[in-house]
Amino acid sequence: MTPLIVFSVITGYFGLLMLISYLTSRKSDNDTFFTGNRQSPWYLVAYGMVGASLSGVTFISVPGEVSNLGWTYLQFVLGNIVGYVVIAFVLIPLFYRLNLISIYEYLKDRFGLKSYRTGASFFLISQTIGASFRLFLAAIVLQIAFFNSFGIPFWVTVLVTISLIWLYTFRGGIKTIVWTDTIQTTFLLLAVTISIFVILSQLDLSINDTFKLVSSSPKSNLFEWNWLSDRNFFKTFTAGVFITIAMNGLDQNVMQKNLTCKSIKDAQKNILWFSVTFLLSTILFLILGVLLYQYATANNIAIPERTDDLYPLLALNYFGLLAGIVFLLGIIAAAFSSADSALTALTTSFCIDILSPKKTKTVKKRTRLYVHIGFTLLMFLVIIIFNAFNDTSVVSAVFKVAGFTYGPILGLYAFGLITKKKVKDKLVPLVCIIAPILSIILNYNSEKWFNGFKFGFEILLVNAFLTMLGLFIISKKTILPLHIIHKK
């Protein structure tokens, strides 16, 4: 694929996003930016959330990792479905009753200002690192596919990429993103579908042949029953439930889209239909993974040492021009659908939760603009720091550590919803710092301390439990009346 074609694809793609931004941001105000005026069609939100949830990491990593993990990732996704049901029938009604802009406002009513800012701060840290990591991967692909041909340094690639994201989100915010996400989800799923079609065509496989090939492949192994494995079904499924609740239901990035729906019922339909679509999309990625390895073997193509490199290698060099173009659009869409909504969510949370926690309606439009620019620059700096490591394993480790910050958020909400106890608000930040530190130590030493037992995703539950234990220790004897806990 020539640099001219890549440039044309990128230019055309961003031209489309800018057009959508223009159409959705006319007469926009803070309410438009933060809540989309609560007028988003639920089916549009549900479809668009697929692209944002899959992300660039999933787009590349899930197909490549079937050689190491088989289909065991699907155990986790099955747990996700249960988590989405909890979100639909527990969290969505709560957030709508409270008429929240930022979901962390609940913590202010339940525990106090310190708890509120602590929950929001953990989200800001997690989302900044996570979104930067996902955009970092996309920038690497763009650097290889286009910018290297002109000797353009990586920092310029990142600056151009993140500036373009800022341009189409700074006015319309979440209202624009609801619509751009639908376009980006379409490109993402189109890339996978066309890649599968190309493989079937070149290997002369029928649908029936494909079904037999995938079902009989050792790379399609779904269940892992070994208790010591970090991929054990029960551990992975349970973790899938609670990680979904923590990293989707208690994440401003995801919930801000849900809160743009017109009513509780619309938001619930959005979540439930999205979960089904997400499951089917994941299965499509796993099928693609098996076929990628079959294609490489049939054509005597050397398997890259890093499994993440397999799909880009084949799509850009072996699948033909159309598949290469759609793959490029897919990886851009997958990364940007995560980064643009994250940038908006970070701006929303900082404006509402940090700058104006007592008067949520007083945020000025100019202040919001400055915060939006600030987080754009912060993400740029984080990506440059990632690149300075020049070691993807180090960057991946930083990304995983950021995931530990969701444990305290889950613990705070679980304690608030399950118990009626008040806490010493000023001590909550200390509890929420100690819990993830202890969790990281446990995770690092688990095999040595627990006779070979290895934590997987379920370390989040340990983190949340330690947070709840700490909150119980600092709780007061006074018990809140029920009407305050579940304020209507």
Side-chain angles (χ1 to χ4, degrees), residues 16 73 151 157 160 196 221 225 241 245 281 303 341 348 359 409 441 464 470 479-480 483:
L16 178 60
Y73 177 69
T157 303
V160 169
I196 291 175
N221 177 53
W225 303 109
V241 175
I245 295 171
S281 301
I303 305 296
S341 57
T348 300
K359 298 179 180 179
I409 298 175
I441 294 172
I479 295 178
L480 289 175
H483 74 279

Side-chain angles (χ1 to χ4, degrees), residues 347-358:
T347 302
T348 300
S349 180
F350 193 83
C351 286
I352 301 301
D353 303 326
I354 305 300
L355 295 183
S356 187
K358 294 182 179 180

Side-chain angles (χ1 to χ4, degrees), residues 415 419 421-423 431 466-476:
F415 191 85
T419 77
K421 290 180 173 291
K422 293 179 67 176
V423 298
V431 169
L466 291 173
T467 303
M468 293 180 69
L469 181 62
L471 293 173
F472 180 80
I473 292 172
I474 65 169
S475 63
K476 301 177 182 179

